[in-house]
Coordinates of all heavy atoms in Angstrom, one line a residue:
V1493 N 125.7 72.8 16.2 CA 124.4 72.1 16.3 C 124.0 71.6 14.9 O 123.6 70.5 14.7 CB 123.4 72.9 16.9 CG1 122.0 72.3 16.8 CG2 123.7 73.2 18.4
S1494 N 124.2 72.5 13.9 CA 123.8 72.1 12.5 C 124.6 70.9 12.0 O 124.1 70.0 11.4 CB 123.8 73.3 11.6 OG 125.1 73.8 11.5
R1495 N 125.9 70.9 12.3 CA 126.8 69.8 11.9 C 126.3 68.5 12.5 O 126.2 67.5 11.9 CB 128.2 70.1 12.2 CG 129.0 70.9 11.1 CD 130.5 70.9 11.3 NE 130.9 71.6 12.5 CZ 131.3 72.9 12.4 NH1 131.3 73.5 11.3 NH2 131.6 73.5 13.5
A1496 N 126.1 68.6 13.8 CA 125.7 67.4 14.6 C 124.4 66.8 14.1 O 124.2 65.6 13.8 CB 125.6 67.6 16.1
L1497 N 123.4 67.7 13.9 CA 122.1 67.3 13.4 C 122.1 66.8 12.0 O 121.4 65.9 11.6 CB 121.0 68.4 13.6 CG 120.6 68.6 15.1 CD1 119.6 69.8 15.1 CD2 120.0 67.4 15.7
S1498 N 122.9 67.5 11.1 CA 123.0 67.0 9.7 C 123.5 65.6 9.7 O 123.1 64.8 8.9 CB 123.9 68.0 9.0 OG 124.0 67.6 7.6
K1499 N 124.6 65.3 10.5 CA 125.1 64.0 10.5 C 124.1 63.0 11.0 O 124.1 61.8 10.6 CB 126.4 64.0 11.4 CG 127.6 64.7 10.8 CD 128.7 64.6 11.8 CE 129.9 65.4 11.2 NZ 131.1 65.5 12.2
A1500 N 123.2 63.4 11.9 CA 122.2 62.5 12.4 C 121.0 62.3 11.4 O 120.2 61.4 11.7 CB 121.6 63.1 13.7
G1501 N 121.0 63.1 10.4 CA 120.0 62.9 9.3 C 119.0 64.1 9.1 O 118.1 63.9 8.3
C1502 N 119.2 65.2 9.8 CA 118.3 66.3 9.6 C 118.6 67.0 8.3 O 119.8 67.3 8.0 CB 118.5 67.3 10.8 SG 117.3 68.7 10.7
K1503 N 117.6 67.2 7.5 CA 117.8 67.7 6.1 C 117.3 69.2 5.9 O 117.5 69.7 4.9 CB 117.1 66.8 5.1 CG 117.7 65.4 5.0 CD 116.9 64.5 4.1 CE 117.6 63.2 3.8 NZ 117.8 62.4 5.1
T1504 N 116.6 69.7 6.9 CA 116.1 71.1 6.7 C 116.3 71.9 8.0 O 116.0 71.4 9.1 CB 114.5 71.0 6.4 OG1 114.3 70.2 5.3 CG2 114.0 72.4 6.2
F1505 N 116.8 73.1 7.8 CA 117.0 74.0 9.0 C 116.3 75.3 8.8 O 116.1 75.8 7.6 CB 118.5 74.2 9.2 CG 119.3 73.0 9.6 CD1 120.0 72.3 8.6 CD2 119.3 72.6 10.9 CE1 120.7 71.2 9.0 CE2 120.0 71.5 11.2 CZ 120.7 70.8 10.3
F1506 N 115.9 75.9 9.9 CA 115.3 77.3 9.8 C 116.1 78.2 10.7 O 116.5 77.9 11.8 CB 113.9 77.2 10.4 CG 112.8 76.6 9.5 CD1 112.7 75.2 9.5 CD2 112.0 77.3 8.7 CE1 111.8 74.5 8.7 CE2 111.1 76.7 7.8 CZ 111.0 75.3 7.8
V1507 N 116.4 79.4 10.1 CA 117.1 80.5 10.8 C 116.3 81.8 10.6 O 115.2 81.8 9.9 CB 118.5 80.7 10.2 CG1 119.4 79.4 10.4 CG2 118.4 81.1 8.7
A1508 N 116.7 82.8 11.3 CA 116.0 84.1 11.3 C 116.4 85.1 10.2 O 115.6 85.8 9.7 CB 116.0 84.7 12.6
T1509 N 117.7 85.1 9.9 CA 118.3 86.1 9.0 C 119.2 85.5 8.0 O 119.7 84.3 8.2 CB 119.1 87.1 9.8 OG1 120.3 86.5 10.4 CG2 118.3 87.7 10.9
I1510 N 119.5 86.2 6.9 CA 120.4 85.8 5.9 C 121.8 85.5 6.5 O 122.5 84.6 6.2 CB 120.5 86.8 4.8 CG1 119.2 86.8 4.0 CG2 121.6 86.4 3.8 CD1 119.1 87.9 2.9
E1511 N 122.2 86.4 7.4 CA 123.5 86.3 8.1 C 123.6 85.0 8.9 O 124.6 84.3 8.8 CB 123.8 87.5 9.0 CG 125.2 87.4 9.6 CD 126.3 87.4 8.6 OE1 126.2 87.9 7.5 OE2 127.4 86.8 8.9
E1512 N 122.5 84.6 9.6 CA 122.5 83.3 10.3 C 122.6 82.2 9.2 O 123.3 81.2 9.5 CB 121.2 83.2 11.1 CG 121.2 84.1 12.3 CD 120.0 83.8 13.2 OE1 119.0 83.2 12.7 OE2 119.9 84.3 14.3
A1513 N 121.9 82.3 8.1 CA 121.9 81.3 7.1 C 123.3 81.1 6.5 O 123.8 80.0 6.2 CB 121.0 81.7 6.0
R1514 N 124.1 82.2 6.4 CA 125.4 82.2 5.8 C 126.3 81.4 6.7 O 127.1 80.5 6.3 CB 125.9 83.6 5.6 CG 127.3 83.7 5.0 CD 127.7 85.1 4.7 NE 126.9 85.8 3.8 CZ 126.0 86.8 4.0 NH1 125.9 87.3 5.3 NH2 125.3 87.4 3.1
K1515 N 126.2 81.6 8.1 CA 127.0 80.8 9.0 C 126.7 79.3 9.0 O 127.6 78.5 9.1 CB 126.9 81.4 10.4 CG 127.4 82.8 10.5 CD 127.2 83.4 11.9 CE 127.8 84.9 12.0 NZ 127.5 85.5 13.3
V1516 N 125.4 79.0 8.9 CA 125.0 77.6 8.9 C 125.4 77.0 7.6 O 125.9 75.8 7.6 CB 123.5 77.5 9.1 CG1 123.0 76.1 8.9 CG2 123.1 78.0 10.5
R1517 N 125.3 77.7 6.5 CA 125.7 77.1 5.2 C 127.2 76.8 5.2 O 127.6 75.8 4.6 CB 125.3 78.0 4.0 CG 125.8 77.5 2.7 CD 125.1 76.2 2.4 NE 123.7 76.3 1.9 CZ 122.8 75.3 2.2 NH1 123.1 74.2 2.9 NH2 121.6 75.5 1.8
A1518 N 128.0 77.6 5.8 CA 129.4 77.3 5.9 C 129.7 76.0 6.7 O 130.7 75.3 6.5 CB 130.1 78.5 6.6
A1519 N 128.8 75.7 7.6 CA 129.0 74.5 8.4 C 128.4 73.2 7.8 O 128.9 72.1 7.9 CB 128.3 74.7 9.8
V1520 N 127.3 73.4 7.0 CA 126.6 72.3 6.4 C 126.2 72.6 5.0 O 125.3 73.4 4.7 CB 125.3 71.9 7.2 CG1 125.7 71.2 8.5 CG2 124.4 73.1 7.5
P1521 N 127.0 72.1 4.0 CA 126.7 72.5 2.6 C 125.5 71.9 1.9 O 125.0 72.5 1.0 CB 128.0 71.9 1.9 CG 128.5 70.8 2.8 CD 128.1 71.2 4.2
E1522 N 124.9 70.8 2.5 CA 123.9 70.2 1.7 C 122.4 70.5 2.2 O 121.5 70.6 1.3 CB 124.0 68.6 1.8 CG 125.4 68.1 1.2 CD 125.4 68.4 -0.3 OE1 124.3 68.5 -1.0 OE2 126.5 68.7 -0.8
P1523 N 122.1 70.6 3.4 CA 120.7 70.7 3.9 C 120.0 72.0 3.3 O 120.7 73.0 2.9 CB 120.8 70.8 5.4 CG 122.1 70.1 5.7 CD 123.0 70.5 4.6
T1524 N 118.7 71.9 3.2 CA 117.8 73.1 2.9 C 117.8 74.0 4.1 O 117.7 73.6 5.2 CB 116.4 72.6 2.6 OG1 116.4 71.7 1.5 CG2 115.5 73.8 2.3
I1525 N 117.9 75.3 3.8 CA 117.9 76.3 4.8 C 116.8 77.3 4.5 O 116.9 78.0 3.4 CB 119.3 77.0 5.0 CG1 120.4 76.0 5.3 CG2 119.2 78.1 6.1 CD1 121.8 76.7 5.4
Y1526 N 115.9 77.6 5.4 CA 114.9 78.6 5.2 C 115.2 79.7 6.1 O 115.6 79.6 7.3 CB 113.5 78.0 5.5 CG 112.9 77.1 4.5 CD1 112.9 75.8 4.6 CD2 112.3 77.7 3.3 CE1 112.4 74.9 3.6 CE2 111.7 76.9 2.4 CZ 111.8 75.5 2.5 OH 111.2 74.7 1.5
V1527 N 114.9 81.0 5.6 CA 115.2 82.2 6.4 C 113.8 82.8 6.8 O 113.1 83.3 5.9 CB 116.0 83.2 5.6 CG1 116.2 84.5 6.4 CG2 117.3 82.6 5.2
L1528 N 113.5 82.8 8.1 CA 112.1 83.1 8.5 C 111.8 84.6 8.4 O 110.7 85.0 8.4 CB 112.0 82.7 10.0 CG 111.9 81.1 10.2 CD1 112.2 80.8 11.7 CD2 110.6 80.6 9.7
G1529 N 112.9 85.4 8.4 CA 112.7 86.9 8.4 C 112.1 87.5 7.1 O 111.9 88.7 7.1
G1530 N 111.9 86.7 6.1 CA 111.3 87.2 4.9 C 112.3 87.7 3.8 O 113.5 87.6 4.0
Y1531 N 111.7 88.2 2.7 CA 112.5 88.7 1.6 C 112.4 90.2 1.5 O 111.3 90.8 1.5 CB 112.0 88.0 0.3 CG 112.8 88.4 -0.9 CD1 114.0 87.8 -1.2 CD2 112.3 89.4 -1.8 CE1 114.7 88.2 -2.3 CE2 113.0 89.8 -2.9 CZ 114.3 89.2 -3.1 OH 115.0 89.6 -4.2
F1532 N 113.6 90.8 1.2 CA 113.6 92.2 1.0 C 114.2 92.4 -0.4 O 115.1 91.7 -0.8 CB 114.4 93.0 2.1 CG 113.8 93.0 3.4 CD1 114.0 92.0 4.3 CD2 112.9 94.0 3.7 CE1 113.4 92.0 5.6 CE2 112.3 94.1 5.0 CZ 112.6 93.1 5.9
Q1533 N 113.8 93.5 -1.0 CA 114.2 93.8 -2.4 C 115.8 94.0 -2.4 O 116.3 94.5 -1.4 CB 113.6 95.1 -2.9 CG 113.8 95.4 -4.3 CD 112.9 96.6 -4.8 OE1 112.5 97.3 -4.0 NE2 112.7 96.7 -6.1
N1534 N 116.4 93.4 -3.4 CA 117.8 93.5 -3.6 C 118.6 92.5 -2.7 O 119.8 92.7 -2.6 CB 118.4 94.9 -3.4 CG 117.8 95.9 -4.4 OD1 117.5 95.6 -5.5 ND2 117.5 97.1 -3.9
T1535 N 117.9 91.6 -2.1 CA 118.6 90.6 -1.3 C 118.7 89.2 -2.0 O 119.2 88.3 -1.4 CB 118.0 90.4 0.1 OG1 116.6 90.0 -0.1 CG2 118.0 91.7 0.9
G1536 N 118.1 89.2 -3.2 CA 118.0 87.9 -3.8 C 119.4 87.2 -4.1 O 119.5 86.0 -3.9
E1537 N 120.3 88.1 -4.5 CA 121.7 87.5 -4.7 C 122.3 86.8 -3.5 O 123.0 85.9 -3.6 CB 122.6 88.6 -5.2 CG 122.3 89.2 -6.5 CD 122.5 88.2 -7.7 OE1 123.2 87.2 -7.5 OE2 122.0 88.5 -8.8
H1538 N 121.9 87.4 -2.3 CA 122.4 86.8 -1.1 C 121.9 85.4 -0.9 O 122.6 84.4 -0.5 CB 122.1 87.6 0.1 CG 122.8 89.0 0.1 ND1 124.1 89.2 0.4 CD2 122.2 90.2 -0.2 CE1 124.4 90.5 0.3 NE2 123.3 91.1 -0.1
Y1539 N 120.6 85.2 -1.1 CA 119.9 83.9 -1.1 C 120.5 82.9 -2.1 O 120.8 81.8 -1.8 CB 118.4 84.0 -1.3 CG 117.7 84.6 -0.1 CD1 117.3 85.9 -0.1 CD2 117.3 83.8 0.9 CE1 116.6 86.5 1.0 CE2 116.6 84.3 2.0 CZ 116.2 85.6 2.0 OH 115.6 86.1 3.1
A1540 N 120.7 83.4 -3.3 CA 121.2 82.6 -4.4 C 122.6 82.1 -4.1 O 123.0 81.0 -4.3 CB 121.1 83.3 -5.7
K1541 N 123.4 83.1 -3.6 CA 124.9 82.7 -3.4 C 125.1 81.6 -2.4 O 126.0 80.8 -2.6 CB 125.6 84.0 -2.9 CG 127.1 83.8 -2.8 CD 127.7 85.1 -2.4 CE 129.3 85.0 -2.3 NZ 129.9 86.3 -1.9
I1542 N 124.3 81.5 -1.4 CA 124.4 80.4 -0.4 C 123.3 79.4 -0.5 O 123.3 78.5 0.4 CB 124.5 81.0 1.0 CG1 123.2 81.7 1.4 CG2 125.7 81.9 1.2 CD1 123.1 82.2 2.8
N1543 N 122.5 79.5 -1.6 CA 121.5 78.5 -1.8 C 120.6 78.2 -0.6 O 120.5 77.2 0.0 CB 122.1 77.1 -2.2 CG 121.1 76.1 -2.7 OD1 120.0 76.5 -3.1 ND2 121.4 74.8 -2.6
C1544 N 119.9 79.3 -0.2 CA 118.9 79.2 0.9 C 117.7 79.8 0.4 O 117.6 80.5 -0.6 CB 119.4 79.8 2.2 SG 119.6 81.6 2.2
R1545 N 116.6 79.6 1.2 CA 115.3 80.0 0.7 C 114.6 81.0 1.7 O 114.5 80.7 2.9 CB 114.4 78.7 0.6 CG 115.0 77.7 -0.3 CD 114.2 76.4 -0.3 NE 114.8 75.4 -1.2 CZ 114.3 74.1 -1.3 NH1 113.2 73.8 -0.7 NH2 114.9 73.3 -2.1
P1546 N 114.0 82.1 1.1 CA 113.2 83.0 2.0 C 111.9 82.4 2.4 O 111.3 81.6 1.6 CB 113.1 84.2 1.1 CG 113.0 83.7 -0.3 CD 113.9 82.5 -0.3
V1547 N 111.4 82.8 3.6 CA 110.0 82.5 4.0 C 109.2 83.8 3.7 O 109.4 84.8 4.4 CB 109.9 82.1 5.4 CG1 108.5 81.9 5.8 CG2 110.7 80.8 5.6
I1548 N 108.4 83.8 2.7 CA 107.7 85.0 2.2 C 106.4 85.1 2.9 O 105.5 84.2 2.9 CB 107.5 84.9 0.7 CG1 108.9 85.0 0.0 CG2 106.6 86.0 0.2 CD1 108.9 84.8 -1.5
G1549 N 106.1 86.3 3.5 CA 104.9 86.5 4.2 C 104.1 87.7 3.8 O 103.3 88.2 4.6
D1550 N 104.3 88.2 2.6 CA 103.6 89.4 2.2 C 103.6 89.4 0.6 O 104.5 88.9 0.0 CB 104.4 90.6 2.7 CG 103.8 91.9 2.3 OD1 102.9 92.4 2.9 OD2 104.2 92.5 1.2
L1551 N 102.5 89.9 0.1 CA 102.4 89.9 -1.4 C 103.5 90.8 -2.0 O 104.0 90.5 -3.2 CB 101.0 90.4 -1.8 CG 99.9 89.5 -1.5 CD1 98.5 90.0 -2.0 CD2 100.1 88.1 -2.2

Side-chain angles (χ1 to χ4, degrees):
V1493 170
S1494 61
R1495 272 195 291 265
L1497 287 177
S1498 180
K1499 289 177 182 177
C1502 185
K1503 294 179 171 59
T1504 304
F1505 293 100
F1506 288 83
V1507 297
T1509 67
I1510 295 175
E1511 184 57 31
E1512 288 183 347
R1514 187 177 291 113
K1515 293 177 181 177
V1516 172
R1517 178 58 78 213
V1520 288
E1522 297 298 329
T1524 299
I1525 301 173
Y1526 284 100
V1527 178
L1528 292 162
Y1531 180 79
F1532 290 90
Q1533 194 170 17
N1534 301 321
T1535 60
E1537 293 291 347
H1538 297 286
Y1539 285 98
K1541 184 176 181 179
I1542 59 173
N1543 189 23
C1544 67
R1545 303 174 182 180
V1547 177
I1548 291 172
D1550 177 86
L1551 290 181

